[in-house]
Amino acid sequence: MRRNDMNQGFLKVFFTLVLLFSAATLLSAGARQESATPLDQIGFQKSGLPITAVPTKLVVMTERHPNHTVSSFNEFEVVRDILGPTNIEIEWWEIARVAYRERINLAFASQDLPDVIFRGLGDRAQQMRYGSEGLLIPLQDLVETYGVNLQNFYARYPDVWRSAVLPGGNVYSLPGRTPYADDRIDGPRTRPMLINAFWLDRLGLDIPNTLEELENVLRAFKTRDPRGTGKPDEIPMSFQWPIGPQQLFGMFGHVVDPVVHVTIENGQVIFTANTEGYKAGIEWLRDMYAEGLIDQEAFVHDTAQFNAKGQEGLYGIVFSRWDTVTDARVLETKEYVPMPPVLGPSGTRVWLHAPGNISHGQASITSAARYPEVAIRFLDVIAEPTNLAILTTGPLGYSQYIDDAGVWKYMAAPAGQGWAEFRHSRSFGEVVPQFRDEVAINMLPDGVNRWVTDIYQQIEPFFYPEPYRMDYYFTEQETEELSTLGTDIRSFILQKQAEWVMGLADIDREWSGYVDRLRRMGLERYVEIHQNARDRYESQR
Amino acid sequence: MKGDRRAVHAAFRSDFWFHAVNYVVLTIGFLLVLYPLYFVVIASFSDPRAVSSGRVWLVPLDVTGEGYRRIFRDPMILIGYRNTIIYTVGGTALNLLFTLTAGYVLSRPSLVGRALLMKLIVFTMLFSGGLIPRYLVIRQLGMLNTAWAMMIPQLVSVMNLIIARTFFQFTIPNELHEAAVMDGCGQTRFFVSVAVPLSGALISVMTLFYGVAHWNRFFDALVFLRSPDRYPLQLVLRSILIQAEVSSEMMGEDPESLADQARAAELIKYGMIIVSSVPFLALYPFLQKYFVKGVMIGAIKG
């Protein structure tokens, strides 16, 4: 009896346990089944439209351009037409441009994340940090599985993709290209050199080929009144320091990068701002400045002032894009023509070339995204070239059209309305991810494309062959070091340049102290960091 | 007699120089203050090219109304204006409600733990949680991207609270309260019917302080809002004016657009300064008489 009881008790417990266990297995199986197919539940399609059969919400954080006037991007006709068929309900977080960077940092710090972030995560060290914290998800497999248009784009520009692969092999943010700044002729560090052909004609001069000829032309511009106003209002040469004449310093020795002050020779990173050639260049500028051949405001004027003088046509030689001296003078009347570098005393004729037309962080997917597959397909729809052109610039027939030759062209803004105002009233502008290719160049104002090609042909033979690229990757620690070390060194150099050229201090007397001080500021480490970045890049090749 | 006249004469002469120097110095000071304001006005009517080439300094050149036309055509500026007015009026009303009541209560000696409360309040003046905790709090309160985020977080400024408390302490003597209590008046009634009507100067000053702060506030909007139709004027203006610098750093914008924006920013820069400061400039003369008094409110008297 007792034994029976015990047995019964045992059986009860046993059966209860068995029941519980099987129930748990069943439940967990059910749960697993449910979590295995959330994509099926929303009717996800691997290709074609709609992306999901069930309307699915996606939270997208994006910058907002000051010329945007819609109260929500969902009101855009281009969004309805192009993104509507995806069946994705977009919740836009539209952040004013001034606040965008701050808001991205805040979103990560507070972990209050959108599903997708458009642009703004350009710093690869930052991508690396958020990626390793699991806040950004790796994209390479998603692109490979679902990104048809993205794959096409990256197949055309393998460099672009490669530069976004971080140590460890992950890509946390899709890279793109800067569609307009053509790094063949300009970029953050370089500008074309334009010379006033009308003035040359009037004075019976040719485009200078040597340093001496260049100086003579500048003198003639100053003294022989090429504008014919009877007043010495001509400015023989102008630029916005530090961009400009340092591009010519290669004629005195090493090629000089006006921002990082390093160049590469035979694989070695060389610091240039303490070399004899650099000194000769600064001395040359000093003499030009003292003689009044250089814009006396070149170190102080802001862009508006610089452009205002250009629009009045006061410049003889100017380092700028076409917009400073107006497109009309460049493209129509050909008053300003591009000019190649001149032959220097060291017998070299070389032009600084700073390639690396890659802009990182076009789009990222965060850990908040429930369906990363949906997000990547959404981005892939945007990356389709025609879609992207329309989302960026506006509907066909409104702000752009396709001409008989199949080239995309801008339509003029109506009188009294600016171009930016005009296009942004019905399109995103460059706040959507830019996976653009050369087609964008065709979309510059008529004639610019031809002009860019023209300049390129003229200066390309003089390009420095071992350029310091702008897309080198610095680790987070290196970035941090550069932000103090690099900033100190660069601002010290900038300060001395201005003092020396403007004659506020004597370069000959200060030179050795300057070289010494640079060394004490940690020049060796500065060069080492850049060498590492360059080696890392080359080893991935 | 003669000596007297000479003395008067001398006094007049010395006074004359005193006055002359006074007038000259004050006039120069006045012009120094006035000129920048005047410059903004004439620059807002001039062609931006003339302004940036430095030719505009005394009279407007190449007069144009294009800047103002563009400002009033931009729906975002008008929406921003509307929002700023809502935030300013609503926010200031809430500020006054809480600051005055808190100031009054803290000024009453009968309040238990007054010193401790005051210390805790002043503590917040010196230490704060920082941006991210603040963001998290606002988020958990469900105020992200709402008008409340523009009005609630800085409901009471400690500085203003101290001014209000001091004001009540020194202008509403306890004896007055005791007399009212004798007539059967409670604290609430006393505050509403006696203290507030006697605090015209304080209320005006608080209105001005809080109002200006709300009018100029953009950082909260920058952090807590994400729908453009809730953006206040200052954020809209800031976006337009400083975009030129930012976008050179932002990657690859269509150069035509950039040039157009730079032109537009130059064009509307001065006009916007005027448009955004006119409401308070217009309000100022009416509040100014209180304002001068107000500066001394916090000062200890007698």
Side-chain angles (χ1 to χ4, degrees):
Chain A
M1 188 68 187
R2 263 198 105 188
R3 201 184 160 136
N4 223 352
D5 266 354
M6 225 173 89
N7 263 347
Q8 267 185 354
F10 173 75
L11 281 175
K12 245 187 204 163
V13 171
F14 179 72
F15 278 115
T16 319
L17 274 176
V18 166
L19 265 175
L20 269 176
F21 186 72
S22 52
T25 334
L26 272 173
L27 274 175
S28 70
R32 198 176 308 135
Q33 211 162 15
E34 223 172 72
S35 72
T37 60
L39 280 176
D40 292 343
Q41 283 189 350
I42 56 167
F44 175 71
Q45 298 201 71
K46 285 190 173 163
S47 61
L49 293 175
I51 294 176
T52 60
V54 181
T56 308
K57 202 177 110 177
L58 193 70
V59 181
V60 179
M61 177 161 163
T62 175
E63 178 193 349
R64 193 179 153 91
H65 191 278
N67 279 124
H68 281 137
T69 50
V70 286
S71 59
S72 160
F73 285 150
N74 281 329
E75 287 169 24
F76 274 146
E77 157 196 344
V78 293
V79 169
R80 282 202 304 273
D81 291 353
I82 294 175
L83 303 178
T86 60
N87 214 7
I88 287 174
E89 287 169 356
I90 311 162
E91 180 188 330
W92 298 101
W93 290 4
E94 300 171 36
I95 311 298
R97 171 168 280 182
V98 275
Y100 197 48
R101 201 146 292 196
E102 196 123 359
R103 287 296 291 271
I104 291 179
N105 294 339
L106 199 58
F108 281 104
S110 65
Q111 310 215 350
D112 183 23
L113 288 165
D115 299 336
V116 173
I117 299 176
F118 276 2
R119 314 214 359 156
L121 263 179
D123 179 356
R124 280 167 290 172
Q126 204 181 13
Q127 293 170 12
M128 189 72 196
R129 183 169 75 237
Y130 295 143
S132 56
E133 286 170 8
L135 297 174
L136 290 177
I137 61 171
L139 303 175
Q140 63 276 14
D141 297 338
L142 288 170
V143 169
E144 202 175 313
T145 320
Y146 301 105
V148 185
N149 298 305
L150 290 167
Q151 280 172 41
N152 286 342
F153 174 73
Y154 294 126
R156 206 156 42 238
Y157 302 103
D159 264 15
V160 171
W161 176 259
R162 201 188 62 196
S163 73
V165 179
L166 299 177
N170 285 328
V171 170
Y172 289 115
S173 193
L174 298 176
R177 291 176 81 243
T178 311
Y180 306 100
D182 190 326
D183 68 350
R184 293 177 301 177
I185 63 153
D186 68 10
R189 287 141 194 213
T190 56
R191 291 284 180 276
M193 178 160 57
L194 307 176
I195 187 165
N196 193 317
F198 289 7
W199 292 10
L200 286 176
D201 274 355
R202 229 165 274 159
L203 303 175
L205 298 166
D206 289 323
I207 291 181
N209 276 314
T210 65
L211 182 58
E212 203 188 338
E213 283 172 29
L214 173 64
E215 288 174 7
N216 289 336
V217 164
L218 291 175
R219 275 185 203 110
F221 282 169
K222 181 175 170 64
T223 53
R224 290 170 56 195
D225 191 26
R227 281 187 91 207
T229 52
K231 285 184 292 184
D233 51 2
E234 291 86 357
I235 300 171
M237 186 196 265
S238 190
F239 45 84
Q240 247 187 312
W241 197 259
I243 306 301
Q246 289 183 84
Q247 285 162 236
L248 298 172
F249 278 17
M251 68 182 168
F252 297 108
H254 301 289
V255 156
V256 169
D257 182 310
V259 178
V260 291
H261 303 286
V262 296
T263 186
I264 300 173
E265 285 174 17
N266 302 320
Q268 290 302 306
V269 170
I270 289 175
F271 186 77
T272 53
N274 57 4
T275 58
E276 283 305 310
Y278 171 81
K279 180 166 179 257
I282 295 288
E283 282 169 347
W284 176 69
L285 280 180
R286 173 196 66 191
D287 297 343
M288 295 290 102
Y289 187 90
E291 223 182 304
L293 301 182
I294 286 176
D295 192 339
Q296 303 291 301
E297 292 167 356
F299 290 85
V300 291
H301 56 200
D302 61 24
T303 308
Q305 292 162 334
F306 177 57
N307 288 350
K309 285 182 282 184
Q311 278 153 13
E312 280 183 61
L314 300 180
Y315 296 146
I317 291 177
V318 60
F319 290 84
S320 83
R321 278 194 278 255
W322 58 91
D323 47 357
T324 296
V325 290
T326 71
D327 347 358
R329 282 205 180 91
V330 169
L331 304 172
E332 286 155 34
T333 65
K334 308 272 183 211
E335 180 173 347
Y336 284 90
V337 296
M339 159 183 172
V342 294
L343 184 70
S346 66
T348 50
R349 194 171 181 185
V350 63
W351 185 254
L352 170 74
H353 180 219
N357 187 0
I358 294 169
S359 54
H360 288 282
Q362 296 290 342
S364 311
I365 302 177
T366 72
S367 56
R370 272 185 73 194
Y371 311 110
E373 297 84 358
V374 172
I376 200 81
R377 287 220 52 216
F378 171 77
L379 292 171
D380 199 57
V381 170
I382 291 176
E384 200 279 318
T386 312
N387 287 351
L388 187 53
I390 291 173
L391 289 170
T392 304
T393 308
L396 285 168
Y398 172 71
S399 48
Q400 51 184 346
Y401 65 100
I402 303 177
D403 74 0
D404 298 337
V407 176
W408 291 65
K409 292 265 174 70
Y410 284 172
M411 287 168 69
Q417 211 177 8
W419 168 248
E421 204 184 344
F422 175 61
R423 68 189 279 238
H424 285 104
S425 65
R426 289 174 72 176
S427 73
F428 286 90
E430 281 76 16
V431 303
V432 281
Q434 294 293 305
F435 310 108
R436 306 291 289 277
D437 54 20
E438 266 79 18
V439 75
I441 301 295
N442 291 326
M443 296 168 65
L444 291 178
D446 217 13
V448 169
N449 185 33
R450 242 173 300 126
W451 184 76
V452 166
T453 314
D454 188 40
I455 296 190
Y456 177 67
Q457 277 164 359
Q458 283 194 47
I459 59 175
E460 197 260 340
F462 307 107
F463 275 178
Y464 183 67
E466 267 190 286
Y468 177 84
R469 297 180 62 91
M470 299 187 307
D471 50 0
Y472 291 149
Y473 167 72
F474 295 99
T475 64
E476 191 156 3
Q477 196 216 335
E478 286 169 347
T479 309
E480 203 169 294
E481 269 184 85
L482 279 181
S483 76
T484 52
L485 177 75
T487 311
D488 286 353
I489 288 177
R490 289 170 194 183
S491 57
F492 177 58
I493 292 171
L494 266 181
Q495 178 205 337
K496 281 296 156 196
Q497 284 173 337
E499 285 179 16
W500 288 336
V501 173
M502 292 168 86
L504 306 172
D506 184 1
I507 183 168
D508 286 315
R509 194 176 315 151
E510 293 189 357
W511 183 255
S512 63
Y514 161 84
V515 171
D516 198 47
R517 171 130 181 236
L518 278 178
R519 205 187 57 241
R520 278 186 283 121
M521 287 170 100
L523 205 52
E524 204 177 323
R525 178 69 188 140
Y526 182 79
V527 171
E528 192 187 343
I529 291 174
H530 287 90
Q531 181 78 52
N532 289 346
R534 182 252 167 216
D535 292 346
R536 220 172 356 241
Y537 184 88
E538 291 301 323
S539 69
Q540 278 182 22
R541 200 171 265 285
Chain B
M1 249 335 235
K2 238 177 196 176
D4 278 2
R5 203 179 297 155
R6 209 175 297 136
V8 168
H9 196 66
F12 173 76
R13 266 181 45 190
S14 68
D15 270 7
F16 172 80
W17 285 112
F18 176 76
H19 286 303
V21 169
N22 248 356
Y23 275 107
V24 168
V25 169
L26 289 175
T27 307
I28 292 173
F30 171 68
L31 289 177
L32 282 178
V33 174
L34 183 71
Y35 180 72
L37 293 175
Y38 174 72
F39 177 78
V40 170
V41 174
I42 59 171
S44 74
F45 286 105
S46 302
D47 188 308
R49 242 177 281 171
V51 176
S52 54
S53 65
R55 288 188 289 125
V56 173
W57 64 280
L58 201 56
V59 287
L61 287 179
D62 309 329
V63 177
T64 166
E66 184 57 29
Y68 285 102
R69 233 161 47 82
R70 248 187 122 138
I71 292 172
F72 289 113
R73 200 171 59 200
D74 187 335
M76 291 322 291
I77 294 183
L78 298 181
I79 290 173
Y81 224 107
R82 182 202 69 191
N83 291 338
T84 294
I85 290 172
I86 293 172
Y87 300 151
T88 303
V89 172
T92 308
L94 287 172
N95 290 146
L96 287 180
L97 178 65
F98 284 86
T99 309
L100 293 182
T101 45
Y104 172 75
V105 168
L106 287 168
S107 73
R108 296 300 96 185
S110 52
L111 178 70
V112 180
R114 191 163 69 126
L116 178 70
L117 270 178
M118 216 45 223
K119 272 178 196 143
L120 287 176
I121 290 170
V122 171
F123 180 83
T124 66
M125 202 174 165
L126 305 173
F127 303 96
S128 75
L131 180 61
I132 291 163
R134 198 149 69 91
Y135 179 84
L136 290 174
V137 169
I138 297 292
R139 181 178 150 214
Q140 275 159 15
L141 292 173
M143 292 200 288
L144 267 194
N145 205 26
T146 65
W148 298 116
M150 294 297 291
M151 301 194 262
I152 303 284
Q154 297 180 39
L155 200 55
V156 174
S157 134
V158 176
M159 198 59 221
N160 290 348
L161 178 65
I162 292 173
I163 293 176
R165 187 200 65 161
T166 314
F167 179 89
F168 285 126
Q169 221 162 1
F170 287 99
T171 47
I172 318 282
N174 217 29
E175 289 75 13
L176 200 57
H177 179 238
E178 280 163 7
V181 171
M182 293 297 283
D183 292 336
C185 173
Q187 290 282 11
T188 313
R189 178 65 188 269
F190 180 75
F191 175 71
V192 174
S193 307
V194 180
V196 168
L198 285 174
S199 316
L202 177 75
I203 293 171
S204 314
V205 170
M206 291 290 115
T207 308
L208 194 68
F209 282 178
Y210 279 123
V212 171
H214 277 292
W215 191 267
N216 291 331
R217 180 161 299 159
F218 82 96
F219 189 75
D220 286 347
L222 187 144
V223 174
F224 299 128
L225 301 184
R226 57 187 174 219
S227 294
D229 54 359
R230 302 208 174 95
Y231 284 172
L233 184 64
Q234 298 299 339
L235 187 56
V236 177
L237 297 190
R238 234 182 125 80
S239 306
I240 296 175
L241 288 184
I242 71 173
Q243 43 90 14
E245 297 162 44
V246 180
S247 47
S248 64
E249 178 190 321
M250 285 291 165
M251 308 141 287
E253 187 159 333
D254 162 17
E256 269 301 276
S257 288
L258 276 183
D260 177 43
Q261 281 156 46
R263 266 195 301 274
E266 286 300 311
L267 191 65
I268 62 181
K269 183 156 76 183
Y270 295 103
M272 283 201 315
I273 295 175
I274 298 211
V275 168
S276 69
S277 40
V278 153
F280 266 91
L281 283 179
L283 198 60
Y284 192 73
F286 300 102
L287 289 174
Q288 194 230 14
K289 53 180 174 180
Y290 297 112
F291 186 66
V292 174
K293 220 195 257 176
V295 173
M296 297 183 299
I297 283 175
I300 293 163
K301 286 165 197 165

PDB file of all heavy atoms in Angstrom, chain A residues 354-365:
ATOM      1  N   ALA A 354      44.556  64.565 -56.074  1.00  0.00           N
ATOM      2  CA  ALA A 354      44.119  63.918 -54.830  1.00  0.00           C
ATOM      3  C   ALA A 354      42.868  63.102 -55.085  1.00  0.00           C
ATOM      4  O   ALA A 354      41.768  63.548 -54.840  1.00  0.00           O
ATOM      5  CB  ALA A 354      43.865  64.977 -53.762  1.00  0.00           C
ATOM      6  N   PRO A 355      43.023  61.896 -55.611  1.00  0.00           N
ATOM      7  CA  PRO A 355      41.844  61.112 -55.945  1.00  0.00           C
ATOM      8  C   PRO A 355      41.240  60.444 -54.715  1.00  0.00           C
ATOM      9  O   PRO A 355      41.776  60.516 -53.618  1.00  0.00           O
ATOM     10  CB  PRO A 355      42.395  60.049 -56.891  1.00  0.00           C
ATOM     11  CG  PRO A 355      43.787  59.851 -56.433  1.00  0.00           C
ATOM     12  CD  PRO A 355      44.262  61.148 -55.849  1.00  0.00           C
ATOM     13  N   GLY A 356      40.143  59.775 -54.936  1.00  0.00           N
ATOM     14  CA  GLY A 356      39.473  59.114 -53.824  1.00  0.00           C
ATOM     15  C   GLY A 356      38.042  59.586 -53.802  1.00  0.00           C
ATOM     16  O   GLY A 356      37.537  60.073 -52.798  1.00  0.00           O
ATOM     17  N   ASN A 357      37.396  59.465 -54.962  1.00  0.00           N
ATOM     18  CA  ASN A 357      36.039  59.978 -55.080  1.00  0.00           C
ATOM     19  C   ASN A 357      35.057  58.975 -54.499  1.00  0.00           C
ATOM     20  O   ASN A 357      34.278  58.371 -55.189  1.00  0.00           O
ATOM     21  CB  ASN A 357      35.731  60.215 -56.549  1.00  0.00           C
ATOM     22  CG  ASN A 357      34.414  60.894 -56.729  1.00  0.00           C
ATOM     23  OD1 ASN A 357      33.739  61.189 -55.751  1.00  0.00           O
ATOM     24  ND2 ASN A 357      34.038  61.141 -57.956  1.00  0.00           N
ATOM     25  N   ILE A 358      35.158  58.815 -53.200  1.00  0.00           N
ATOM     26  CA  ILE A 358      34.299  57.846 -52.543  1.00  0.00           C
ATOM     27  C   ILE A 358      33.660  58.567 -51.382  1.00  0.00           C
ATOM     28  O   ILE A 358      34.352  59.253 -50.639  1.00  0.00           O
ATOM     29  CB  ILE A 358      35.143  56.663 -52.022  1.00  0.00           C
ATOM     30  CG1 ILE A 358      35.723  55.906 -53.213  1.00  0.00           C
ATOM     31  CG2 ILE A 358      34.314  55.740 -51.141  1.00  0.00           C
ATOM     32  CD1 ILE A 358      36.768  54.895 -52.857  1.00  0.00           C
ATOM     33  N   SER A 359      32.349  58.454 -51.268  1.00  0.00           N
ATOM     34  CA  SER A 359      31.810  59.024 -50.042  1.00  0.00           C
ATOM     35  C   SER A 359      31.130  57.932 -49.247  1.00  0.00           C
ATOM     36  O   SER A 359      30.206  57.277 -49.694  1.00  0.00           O
ATOM     37  CB  SER A 359      30.916  60.224 -50.308  1.00  0.00           C
ATOM     38  OG  SER A 359      29.920  59.910 -51.194  1.00  0.00           O
ATOM     39  N   HIS A 360      31.678  57.765 -48.070  1.00  0.00           N
ATOM     40  CA  HIS A 360      31.267  56.654 -47.230  1.00  0.00           C
ATOM     41  C   HIS A 360      29.966  56.950 -46.515  1.00  0.00           C
ATOM     42  O   HIS A 360      29.554  58.096 -46.403  1.00  0.00           O
ATOM     43  CB  HIS A 360      32.365  56.353 -46.212  1.00  0.00           C
ATOM     44  CG  HIS A 360      33.557  55.714 -46.846  1.00  0.00           C
ATOM     45  ND1 HIS A 360      33.581  54.404 -47.182  1.00  0.00           N
ATOM     46  CD2 HIS A 360      34.734  56.241 -47.256  1.00  0.00           C
ATOM     47  CE1 HIS A 360      34.733  54.122 -47.755  1.00  0.00           C
ATOM     48  NE2 HIS A 360      35.451  55.214 -47.817  1.00  0.00           N
ATOM     49  N   GLY A 361      29.373  55.891 -46.003  1.00  0.00           N
ATOM     50  CA  GLY A 361      28.202  56.058 -45.142  1.00  0.00           C
ATOM     51  C   GLY A 361      26.966  56.526 -45.862  1.00  0.00           C
ATOM     52  O   GLY A 361      26.205  57.330 -45.340  1.00  0.00           O
ATOM     53  N   GLN A 362      26.713  56.049 -47.076  1.00  0.00           N
ATOM     54  CA  GLN A 362      25.505  56.468 -47.778  1.00  0.00           C
ATOM     55  C   GLN A 362      24.254  55.894 -47.123  1.00  0.00           C
ATOM     56  O   GLN A 362      23.232  56.548 -47.069  1.00  0.00           O
ATOM     57  CB  GLN A 362      25.568  56.039 -49.252  1.00  0.00           C
ATOM     58  CG  GLN A 362      26.677  56.696 -50.026  1.00  0.00           C
ATOM     59  CD  GLN A 362      26.430  58.167 -50.246  1.00  0.00           C
ATOM     60  OE1 GLN A 362      25.321  58.649 -50.127  1.00  0.00           O
ATOM     61  NE2 GLN A 362      27.472  58.898 -50.559  1.00  0.00           N
ATOM     62  N   ALA A 363      24.323  54.657 -46.670  1.00  0.00           N
ATOM     63  CA  ALA A 363      23.164  54.068 -46.012  1.00  0.00           C
ATOM     64  C   ALA A 363      23.602  52.943 -45.096  1.00  0.00           C
ATOM     65  O   ALA A 363      24.484  52.157 -45.437  1.00  0.00           O
ATOM     66  CB  ALA A 363      22.184  53.531 -47.052  1.00  0.00           C
ATOM     67  N   SER A 364      22.982  52.886 -43.910  1.00  0.00           N
ATOM     68  CA  SER A 364      23.291  51.836 -42.954  1.00  0.00           C
ATOM     69  C   SER A 364      21.987  51.257 -42.440  1.00  0.00           C
ATOM     70  O   SER A 364      20.965  51.932 -42.426  1.00  0.00           O
ATOM     71  CB  SER A 364      24.060  52.397 -41.758  1.00  0.00           C
ATOM     72  OG  SER A 364      25.129  53.178 -42.188  1.00  0.00           O
ATOM     73  N   ILE A 365      22.042  50.017 -42.007  1.00  0.00           N
ATOM     74  CA  ILE A 365      20.878  49.384 -41.396  1.00  0.00           C
ATOM     75  C   ILE A 365      21.237  49.084 -39.944  1.00  0.00           C
ATOM     76  O   ILE A 365      22.314  48.552 -39.668  1.00  0.00           O
ATOM     77  CB  ILE A 365      20.500  48.076 -42.131  1.00  0.00           C
ATOM     78  CG1 ILE A 365      20.211  48.391 -43.605  1.00  0.00           C
ATOM     79  CG2 ILE A 365      19.292  47.427 -41.477  1.00  0.00           C
ATOM     80  CD1 ILE A 365      19.890  47.170 -44.443  1.00  0.00           C
TER      81      ILE A 365
END
